[in-house]
Amino acid sequence: MPKTHLRCILQGCMLLFALFAGIAQETNSTTPVTIISYIEKLELEFDVKFSFADEDLQGVYIQVPKEITLEGILGDIASQTQLKIQKLNDRYYALSKSSTIDICATVLDNYERNTVAGASIEVLGGNIATITNPDGSFSIGNVPRKAIIRIQHLGYRTRFIPAEELAGHNPCEIVLLGIYYQQLEEVVVFKFLTAGLTRELDASILLNTKDFGILPGLTEPDVLQTVQALPGIESIDETVSDINIRGGTHDQNLILWDGIKMYQSGHFFGLISAFNPYLTDKVTLIKNGTSAQYSDGVSGIIAMESRNKIEEDYFGGAGFNLISGDFYGHIPLGEKLAIQFSARRSVTDFLNTPTYNQFRNRVFQDSDINDTGNQPSDSTISREESFYFYDFSGKILYDINEKHTGRLSFIRINNTLDYTETARDPGRSDVSGLDQDNISTGLVLDSKWSRKFSSQLNSYYTHYNLDSHSITENGAQQLLQSNKVVESSVKLNTTYGLSDKLNWLNGYQFSEAGIANFTDVTRPAYNSSVKGIIRTHAVYSELGYISGDQKFRARGGGRFQYIENPGTFTKFIAEPRLNINYTLANHFRFEVLGEFKNQTTNQVIDLEQNFLGIEKRRWLLSDDSILPVTQSKQASMGLTYDEDNWYASVEGFIKNVKGVSTSTQGFQNQNQFNGEIGKYDVRGLEFIINHKGNYLSTWASYTHNINNYTFGSITPSRFPNNLDIRHTLAFASTFTYEKLKLGIGITYRTGRPITKPQDGSNAINTRVFPHEINYQEPNSSRLPDYLRADASAIYEFEVGPNLNASAGISLLNLLNKDNVLNTYYRLNSSDEIETVESLSLARTPNISFRVSF
């Protein structure tokens, strides 16, 4: 019995020994061995001989092949080592290193091991390059064996790897890129004033509408209202169609939508932005230091871009307020194709709301519609008024392949007003109407030809039309006016990376703008039709530099334009541009900006009663005599502090603009008809301080401007600009807690200059017919100071799965203060001076409700 137990124990031990031996053998089969030792075994097993240079095989390890035949084993070795194996005869083989190898790898980040798609892979010292696939993988053949591979991607640390380390692996080697946290922190200032509003290192302001928080007086992210919250930017008449950037007129701003120049920017005659914010992905505001790729806009640029990425899932939304309703959507039609659309229409032609009534009173307060002087009493007058606006836009997004994308955009903006006034006694009917329409389309083709070289081809066509008619006294007197603008442009940008720190932008742009103005008056008889066209050829070049430590950034270049107005003039203009930013310490940045710019289109402001006293602006082309090419020079210096929850910035600037006509500046005195040519210069200081907390963001801003005209033919020749607002002070605070957003703010500014009539008997010149007003020196008086407070609140909530909603309420002019925006003087039929005041918007409530999915 004991012998039996002993035999069983021995058998069990032998079984365990065999098992462990098998495991050990299996483990050893997966352990790398030197190739020299392995081929020595092959020589004995298959009775063959291998010749090789020791230095070629020294230090080379392989996994033991699982193949059985000699040919299969040698093929596996060649795959693993990228060695060249040549059969000399049935017994002799030669092994050597080939001059080129095949490499492959998968690139992941070193944090959560996410794939890094679009990383650039470059073989240094040659012209071989590629980018990683969506899964982070790449492969390259015929790479020099001793080459170094550079792998880089924006936001990650660059890696340099010998090519041999990426050869012969199955599966391919995994390469980890470290996230470059410092670079990401320095790109923008987070949450500047409110969420979604950031200040970039080139001094431009970026508005991301998707992440937009709240601003006082706004329940929706109105693009052109939002930019007025920034120092140096305001609207002297509270509209988005008259935005003044550093003392310039609205026509001196370049407004772009998807790269298309827009000639109309507002609804309801400027009280509402004409661009749907929910498909507008980002808005860039540039006051100075403009890139050489931009022309026009001697005062500033507002560039809007709609969403440009094809999303996997559809999304959209809809909403309404007391003025209009809208909807929008994004529908993917595949991995490479999607469409976007948005539409908005006012309810003002069939629904009277408190908001509409206040808007109406603000817009029409000094127009024909409200002017009942010398007419029968209201009890004998019937009025029919129909006003509405709409806009819609569309975009087709097509990703042609990994290197080429195409985008086709379309937008239409319309304002329509029809007004009929009928007097029952003595039986008279007056009819007035206005139609303002803008239709634009644009095509953008982006191409990435290599890691270093990319291009963008942008073309657009825009058509703006303003028609008005006024028929009075049963048709006895008629006034017809029309202003048409047609512009087309094509622009090619190319960008070449000279190194990791230096890139080179070059480009060419051709644009052609045609403008026609038509006026027909029956009494007194007058007819005018003026047409013109301007063609512009421009080439530009610009270098951009970023130091290795990210502390110094510079961009400098120039734009060279040849301007032709056939039969009138030709002109060559050179425009240097400069943008420098340097980090002095961890939290301080210093910047120097400068630019020369020009523009060949301007808006002439007509007499008060033209276009119903509402839309008095007509676009005209420069002819270099009566209306010259407008040219500007601007320089600024600024210092920015940003640490944790505090942000502060101070910037001083000087701007000179020449080629200015009195007909484009909105004079309402003795100089409004003369068309003198002159210039204006602005010196200013802008300051803002902002404290950002988890829930509360509070800021205060101050702007000081000294803005003066110089007209040699006017006495005195130097006097305050119509937009000379010496002091502007704003204070605001926003509170965000979970789903609730609150905002309140107040704005104060000194009054704008005006020109008053002379005192006493000298006020009217009776020696001419018709009689005229004798004015004091130009802009020698000022309006009272301006003060306005606004408030708003938004609450967000969930309606159902994947369906969110928000409700908002706002109050404009919370204190209901009667701010005088403008004052001018005119003679009535009795040769008496009338004072006409344009008052600000009264207290105006508005509510909104939106859903999104």
Side-chain angles (χ1 to χ4, degrees):
M1 191 70 176
K3 293 182 178 179
T4 304
H5 287 301
L6 181 59
R7 188 183 303 113
C8 291
I9 292 173
L10 292 174
Q11 290 176 349
C13 292
M14 293 175 65
L15 181 61
L16 290 173
F17 178 78
L19 178 61
F20 283 117
I23 293 174
Q25 183 177 357
E26 182 179 353
T27 302
N28 291 336
S29 67
T30 60
T31 302
V33 299
T34 64
I35 188 172
I36 295 177
S37 64
Y38 186 73
I39 62 176
E40 289 176 350
K41 294 179 180 180
L42 291 181
E43 289 178 333
L44 296 175
E45 184 177 350
F46 292 97
D47 191 23
V48 292
K49 290 291 183 180
F50 294 95
S51 62
F52 54 86
D54 289 341
E55 59 270 18
D56 285 348
L57 274 61
Q58 194 68 38
V60 177
Y61 287 81
I62 62 169
Q63 298 287 345
V64 176
K66 297 180 180 180
E67 299 290 338
I68 299 175
T69 64
L70 179 61
E71 289 76 11
I73 293 173
L74 295 180
D76 194 325
I77 292 174
S79 176
Q80 290 189 52
T81 62
Q82 301 284 305
L83 291 172
K84 181 180 180 182
I85 303 177
Q86 183 179 4
K87 184 177 181 180
L88 303 177
N89 54 43
D90 290 341
R91 191 175 180 217
Y92 288 93
Y93 293 82
L95 280 68
S96 62
K97 281 187 174 182
S98 59
S99 59
T100 61
I101 55 177
D102 299 333
I103 65 172
C104 69
T106 299
V107 182
L108 308 176
D109 72 65
N110 69 348
Y111 180 59
E112 293 185 340
R113 297 217 165 196
N114 294 320
T115 58
V116 181
S120 61
I121 314 298
E122 182 185 5
V123 180
L124 298 183
N127 57 0
I128 304 175
T130 187
I131 60 174
T132 55
N133 299 318
D135 62 356
S137 65
F138 73 91
S139 62
I140 307 177
N142 297 322
V143 175
R145 179 177 288 273
K146 296 299 182 180
I148 300 297
I149 308 301
R150 179 169 60 189
I151 305 176
Q152 60 183 358
H153 192 282
L154 183 63
Y156 296 89
R157 297 184 183 276
T158 302
R159 284 200 62 179
F160 298 89
I161 303 175
E164 287 185 300
E165 292 186 12
L166 303 179
H169 296 283
N170 186 20
C172 295
E173 187 78 2
I174 291 178
V175 176
L176 300 179
L177 291 186
I179 299 176
Y180 194 26
Y181 294 100
Q182 182 180 2
Q183 180 178 0
L184 292 177
E185 289 176 352
E186 292 187 352
V187 171
V188 294
V189 177
F190 175 72
K191 197 179 178 183
F192 171 65
L193 305 189
T194 189
L197 198 60
T198 56
R199 191 179 193 275
E200 297 193 317
L201 288 180
D202 64 355
S204 64
I205 304 297
L206 180 65
L207 168 64
N208 188 321
T209 58
K210 181 181 178 181
D211 301 324
F212 187 73
I214 188 173
L215 285 177
L218 298 180
T219 58
E220 299 175 282
D222 188 299
V223 171
L224 299 182
Q225 292 284 3
T226 299
V227 299
Q228 296 179 41
L230 304 170
I233 304 173
E234 57 191 341
S235 175
I236 204 165
D237 62 0
E238 297 184 331
T239 69
V240 299
S241 58
D242 193 10
I243 295 176
N244 315 122
I245 300 179
R246 290 183 170 174
T249 54
H250 183 73
D251 61 329
Q252 293 173 356
N253 302 326
L254 173 63
I255 298 179
L256 298 173
W257 181 83
D258 275 354
I260 306 170
K261 183 178 179 180
M262 304 302 298
Y263 284 89
Q264 181 179 350
S265 58
H267 283 315
F268 216 131
F269 307 105
L271 294 180
I272 302 170
S273 171
F275 306 100
N276 189 304
Y278 296 100
L279 283 179
T280 302
D281 184 44
K282 63 179 181 179
V283 182
T284 303
L285 170 70
I286 306 172
K287 292 187 284 187
N288 191 13
T290 311
S291 170
Q293 64 180 299
Y294 294 110
S295 67
D296 292 330
V298 297
S299 280
I301 297 176
I302 302 174
M304 294 164 280
E305 298 179 37
S306 60
R307 299 195 184 191
N308 207 41
K309 180 182 178 182
I310 298 177
E311 303 290 347
E312 295 181 358
D313 300 320
Y314 69 89
F315 65 86
F320 68 87
N321 55 43
L322 297 184
I323 292 294
S324 64
D326 73 278
F327 63 90
Y328 70 95
H330 174 102
I331 302 176
L333 302 178
E335 294 183 356
K336 296 185 176 183
L337 183 65
I339 60 172
Q340 293 176 357
F341 58 87
S342 71
R344 172 171 51 175
R345 192 192 189 279
S346 67
V347 298
T348 53
D349 53 333
F350 60 85
L351 181 64
N352 275 341
T353 66
T355 308
Y356 169 68
N357 290 331
Q358 295 290 49
F359 277 18
R360 180 193 182 280
N361 293 337
R362 160 67 182 86
V363 171
F364 299 131
Q365 59 184 294
D366 61 341
S367 69
D368 289 341
I369 291 181
N370 282 348
D371 182 9
T372 59
N374 299 322
Q375 294 182 10
S377 64
D378 285 354
S379 61
T380 62
I381 294 177
S382 64
R383 295 183 175 91
E384 294 183 6
E385 170 193 331
S386 176
F387 169 75
Y388 66 91
F389 64 80
Y390 65 84
D391 62 73
F392 59 86
S393 64
K395 187 172 185 177
I396 299 176
L397 303 88
Y398 179 49
D399 291 346
I400 303 169
N401 52 43
E402 293 180 354
K403 294 186 177 182
H404 304 279
T405 62
R407 303 292 186 260
L408 178 64
S409 303
F410 172 83
I411 189 171
R412 180 170 186 180
I413 304 168
N414 181 271
N415 285 283
T416 299
L417 169 67
D418 294 310
Y419 175 75
T420 302
E421 185 177 277
T422 303
R424 291 186 291 273
D425 184 17
R428 190 188 69 193
S429 177
D430 297 339
V431 178
S432 299
L434 182 145
D435 187 77
Q436 191 179 22
D437 197 55
N438 194 112
I439 301 175
S440 302
T441 184
L443 176 65
V444 177
L445 179 63
D446 282 305
S447 300
K448 187 174 180 61
W449 303 100
S450 68
R451 186 191 65 83
K452 290 186 175 183
F453 184 71
S454 62
S455 67
Q456 183 185 78
L457 180 64
N458 179 10
S459 64
Y460 69 80
Y461 170 86
T462 187
H463 182 278
Y464 170 79
N465 188 60
L466 178 63
D467 288 318
S468 75
H469 64 269
S470 179
I471 304 173
T472 61
E473 301 179 10
N474 294 329
Q477 183 173 9
Q478 299 184 19
L479 167 64
L480 305 176
Q481 287 187 309
S482 175
N483 179 216
K484 295 183 179 180
V485 181
V486 176
E487 180 172 317
S488 57
S489 175
V490 59
K491 179 166 70 172
L492 176 64
N493 276 352
T494 64
T495 304
Y496 182 74
L498 298 173
S499 68
D500 291 341
K501 302 176 182 179
L502 194 65
N503 66 78
W504 190 15
L505 169 70
N506 292 281
Y508 166 79
Q509 182 176 8
F510 170 77
S511 59
E512 181 180 87
I515 297 181
N517 280 282
F518 172 76
T519 303
D520 187 17
V521 183
T522 57
R523 194 174 62 184
Y526 175 78
N527 182 278
S528 173
S529 180
V530 179
K531 297 180 181 180
I533 189 171
I534 277 185
R535 299 184 181 95
T536 303
H537 299 266
V539 294
Y540 48 90
S541 183
E542 182 176 84
L543 286 172
Y545 174 80
I546 302 177
S547 65
D549 58 6
Q550 307 289 310
K551 290 186 176 182
F552 179 72
R553 295 168 180 251
R555 185 179 68 206
R559 186 179 180 92
F560 309 91
Q561 295 192 143
Y562 175 76
I563 303 171
E564 178 189 15
N565 187 328
T568 305
F569 76 95
T570 60
K571 200 177 189 71
F572 177 82
I573 299 177
E575 299 176 344
R577 311 283 174 85
L578 180 66
N579 190 311
I580 296 176
N581 185 289
Y582 181 69
T583 301
L584 299 173
N586 291 334
H587 308 292
F588 287 93
R589 292 199 309 273
F590 177 73
E591 61 190 28
V592 176
L593 310 173
E595 64 180 25
F596 284 39
K597 296 175 77 174
N598 81 88
Q599 63 182 61
T600 57
T601 55
N602 294 273
Q603 280 185 315
V604 170
I605 302 176
D606 290 317
L607 307 183
E608 281 307 313
Q609 293 304 312
N610 283 2
F611 292 176
L612 306 174
I614 310 164
E615 192 62 44
K616 299 177 284 291
R617 303 169 184 271
R618 294 183 296 120
W619 288 99
L620 287 180
L621 290 173
S622 298
D623 57 11
D624 213 34
S625 57
I626 297 176
L627 192 61
V629 175
T630 306
Q631 296 179 259
S632 72
K633 301 176 183 178
Q634 185 177 184
S636 63
M637 296 176 62
L639 183 65
T640 299
Y641 172 81
D642 178 35
E643 180 181 11
D644 297 331
N645 296 330
W646 285 98
Y647 173 86
S649 175
V650 60
E651 185 175 6
F653 71 91
I654 183 169
K655 181 170 72 172
N656 295 290
V657 181
K658 67 178 183 178
V660 173
S661 170
T662 55
S663 61
T664 67
Q665 298 299 298
F667 283 99
Q668 292 171 311
N669 51 35
Q670 69 271 34
N671 302 306
Q672 69 185 77
F673 309 111
N674 300 337
E676 287 90 348
I677 304 301
K679 63 181 181 179
Y680 71 85
D681 58 86
V682 190
R683 290 173 293 156
L685 179 72
E686 299 168 359
F687 171 76
I688 187 168
I689 185 169
N690 178 208
H691 180 267
K692 307 172 291 291
N694 292 331
Y695 306 110
L696 190 67
S697 178
T698 303
W699 68 92
S701 66
Y702 170 73
T703 303
H704 172 62
N705 281 346
I706 300 177
N707 191 350
N708 289 306
Y709 287 122
T710 301
F711 288 96
S713 56
I714 296 178
T715 303
S717 60
R718 186 171 174 83
F719 55 91
N721 193 302
N722 293 338
L723 302 176
D724 179 41
I725 305 297
R726 292 294 171 93
H727 306 279
T728 301
L729 181 65
F731 175 84
S733 185
T734 62
F735 175 79
T736 302
Y737 180 73
E738 294 183 349
K739 302 295 184 179
L740 179 64
K741 302 176 182 178
L742 303 174
I744 188 168
I746 189 167
T747 301
Y748 163 84
R749 65 172 181 249
T750 53
R752 66 179 293 186
I754 61 170
T755 306
K756 290 184 176 181
Q758 295 182 13
D759 297 328
S761 59
N762 294 327
I764 301 176
N765 183 2
T766 58
R767 294 190 296 271
V768 297
F769 185 82
H771 296 167
E772 296 178 351
I773 297 176
N774 287 326
Y775 287 94
Q776 299 176 13
E777 290 185 354
N779 290 347
S780 55
S781 302
R782 287 186 179 268
L783 294 176
D785 294 349
Y786 174 96
L787 180 68
R788 178 172 131 172
D790 302 317
S792 55
I794 300 174
Y795 182 72
E796 300 174 343
F797 54 95
E798 294 182 0
V799 178
N802 300 321
L803 184 62
N804 299 314
S806 66
I809 184 171
S810 66
L811 273 176
L812 298 174
N813 197 0
L814 183 65
L815 305 178
N816 200 30
K817 191 174 187 305
D818 290 332
N819 291 298
V820 181
L821 301 178
N822 190 24
T823 299
Y824 67 95
Y825 304 89
R826 64 188 179 191
L827 292 176
N828 61 20
S829 58
S830 301
D831 278 346
E832 298 172 338
I833 296 178
E834 292 182 340
T835 301
V836 182
E837 289 187 340
S838 175
L839 299 179
S840 66
L841 196 66
R843 183 188 293 122
T844 304
N846 199 359
I847 60 173
S848 66
F849 177 79
R850 303 202 61 82
V851 294
S852 60
F853 53 87

